[in-house]
Amino acid sequence: MGALAQSTTNPQSDTCVDVHCDCGLIWSLAQQYAMAQLDMRIPVLKDGTPDYRTNSHTVSDTPIDPGEASYVARHYGARARRVASSYARMFLEEFHLGGGKEKIGRFYWTGLGAFAAKQVAANIESWQVNAPGMDVVHEGLGKGNLWIYNDLLPWCYGYAADPTAFEGCAPKRDSEQFDPAVKGNLMRQQWAAEVMPRCPVVITPSANDDDSGTGNPTQTLGNFRCTSRVLKGFACVRQWELETEEDAKAALAFKHLWIMAQHEQGEVLQGILYDDESFRDKLLLQRVAERATATHTPWGKLPTGIPVLDVIHALIPPLQLSFTAEDNAWDMQYRFDAPDDLVLEDYVQRMAWIKDTATLFHTLMLKKRRYMLGELRTIASWGGLT
């Protein structure tokens, strides 16, 4: 890996020397790569993607930028679309470590993640989430989107940099050991001081065969340290790369996606967002209002004559995932709505809905691949939004 490997030159022919990989450097560069996608100092290429490279396409020649990043921070929707763009480019292998068209799909979670981040952006920008009294939801969506990204994307980058070294380097990822410039920029991001000590946690296994867990933490690791789910998820990527039979590759891709969904929803997002009491209270209030509209509770009318229930229903943002670059899909073959009675903050219920959306994503990838890749390429072009 170039500068990631350090050794002494041996002048004697037909002999070997030990080479030691510097895992700390690769994780610093991986975090810098992820953060650069959100840095407004970075020039934007004609295709709408940030040119985060300082002088090279290689890992070894990419220096650590000592300057202070200027992050997209005020406009959470634009930031979420940049996040979606970065996920899409990772899925499409359109980054400087990309493995080419033959490896499109190995980071399968990032394909679903691109559509999910797009949907978060749409919700953040919706008038419902920007209505008075919705600050908690607006902030929560922005926080969750940012810190899943900061955790997840560098895992993919680190694997792409050296799949062979990944297993040994993964347990050594620790933000406290990052290059000082990278660590400084990381800690300048919104909510960093609050999130980093709690990201990730280890969640208890469930009695289910899929081992999705309960969402209850058994151990707090923090500082982007590795969990067994991360290792299992990327072991699937390695198997995918070695597999030649298409059905087996598809099964491995979905297994990777599902394990990484458990990681990001349970080991990252549950603790930093869904266990927050103020966020939970707001979700409860929305459910109470939704049930009232469903049962036609007689709450009367406004002075204008508009039924109060109609107003309440309009204030509740829709919960759906649309597999289109547009904010919402009207064709239900490209869209999956959450159940009306979903308790979103309940990890087990949320994961059941996510598995259904992941299954639709997988079906579309198998049956309408050209369409899905086209939508992802559109999302990939959003990398310069401010």
Side-chain angles (χ1 to χ4, degrees):
M1 291 189 294
L4 300 178
Q6 299 177 353
S7 64
T8 302
T9 301
N10 186 343
Q12 194 170 351
S13 62
D14 299 321
T15 59
C16 300
V17 294
D18 290 333
V19 177
H20 303 285
C21 292
D22 184 350
C23 297
L25 177 59
I26 193 172
W27 292 124
S28 293
L29 289 172
Q31 201 68 49
Q32 175 172 269
Y33 167 76
M35 294 189 298
Q37 314 307 303
L38 310 179
D39 188 348
M40 292 188 294
R41 300 174 305 160
I42 306 299
V44 177
L45 300 172
K46 290 182 180 180
D47 64 358
T49 60
D51 186 6
Y52 54 85
R53 302 159 297 162
T54 302
N55 60 14
S56 174
H57 279 262
T58 67
V59 174
S60 61
D61 294 332
T62 304
I64 299 295
D65 184 351
E68 289 190 351
S70 176
Y71 293 119
V72 178
R74 291 185 179 181
H75 193 327
Y76 296 175
R79 183 172 64 197
R81 291 184 190 277
R82 280 197 178 214
V83 165
S85 169
S86 189
Y87 287 151
R89 282 180 280 116
M90 183 66 67
F91 181 89
L92 296 168
E93 299 287 334
E94 293 178 357
F95 64 110
H96 67 295
L97 299 177
K101 291 183 179 180
E102 70 279 5
K103 290 198 174 178
I104 289 176
R106 60 173 172 167
F107 301 128
Y108 209 52
W109 181 92
T110 60
L112 180 63
F115 287 109
K118 177 271 301 183
Q119 210 69 54
V120 169
N123 286 337
I124 287 172
E125 294 166 351
S126 70
W127 68 268
Q128 293 101 326
V129 172
N130 286 280
M134 293 294 285
D135 291 355
V136 169
V137 175
H138 188 267
E139 293 292 300
L141 291 175
K143 177 167 67 173
N145 171 260
L146 175 63
W147 288 99
I148 284 177
Y149 172 76
N150 271 315
D151 173 84
L152 233 303
L153 198 82
W155 287 122
C156 298
Y157 185 100
Y159 180 91
D162 192 332
T164 302
F166 181 85
E167 188 173 352
C169 280
K172 297 180 181 179
R173 186 181 177 195
D174 180 349
S175 63
E176 288 296 303
Q177 305 302 318
F178 287 170
D179 176 271
V182 174
K183 181 181 177 182
N185 277 328
L186 175 68
M187 297 308 295
R188 290 179 59 248
Q189 293 187 77
Q190 281 182 293
W191 308 289
E194 170 194 344
V195 169
M196 287 310 301
R198 298 188 290 153
C199 179
V201 300
V202 176
I203 58 173
T204 55
S206 68
N208 298 329
D209 291 339
D210 63 14
D211 191 32
S212 58
T214 63
N216 300 317
T218 58
Q219 182 183 6
T220 300
L221 300 178
N223 300 321
F224 297 148
R225 291 189 179 97
C226 188
T227 71
S228 63
R229 282 183 173 83
V230 170
L231 292 177
K232 290 177 183 176
F234 282 91
C236 292
V237 178
R238 189 63 167 164
Q239 289 177 267
W240 183 97
E241 290 177 329
L242 298 173
E243 181 60 61
T244 58
E245 203 275 318
E246 288 302 318
D247 288 345
K249 287 176 80 75
L252 285 166
F254 189 83
K255 185 177 179 181
H256 157 79
L257 178 155
W258 182 234
I259 293 171
M260 297 313 295
Q262 295 167 30
H263 169 69
E264 58 101 355
Q265 288 290 329
E267 298 184 329
V268 177
L269 200 59
Q270 187 68 33
I272 66 176
L273 179 60
Y274 288 112
D275 287 344
D276 180 271
E277 286 191 20
S278 58
F279 193 78
R280 292 169 72 97
D281 288 346
K282 187 62 67 175
L283 293 177
L284 175 60
L285 181 61
Q286 289 180 348
R287 284 198 301 277
V288 169
E290 182 65 46
R291 287 168 187 162
T293 62
T295 57
H296 303 287
T297 303
W299 285 6
K301 297 182 178 181
L302 298 175
T304 58
I306 300 174
V308 172
L309 286 180
D310 290 351
V311 176
I312 293 173
H313 187 73
L315 287 170
I316 301 170
L319 187 56
Q320 63 171 261
L321 183 52
S322 293
F323 294 107
T324 170
E326 299 293 328
D327 285 356
N328 300 297
W330 302 108
D331 186 339
M332 292 304 295
Q333 70 174 314
Y334 300 118
R335 167 178 154 185
F336 203 97
D337 291 352
D340 291 338
D341 59 350
L342 175 66
V343 179
L344 191 62
E345 66 270 28
D346 183 291
Y347 171 78
V348 175
Q349 291 191 36
R350 188 170 73 253
M351 291 304 290
W353 176 56
I354 288 172
K355 193 159 195 178
D356 287 338
T357 64
T359 299
L360 177 57
F361 168 80
H362 190 50
T363 299
L364 291 170
M365 274 292 176
L366 293 175
K367 295 183 177 180
K368 294 182 177 288
R369 184 175 177 83
R370 180 178 295 181
Y371 163 83
M372 292 290 277
L373 295 184
E375 297 302 294
L376 284 169
R377 289 190 179 96
T378 298
I379 293 172
S381 69
W382 298 344
L385 296 178
T386 59

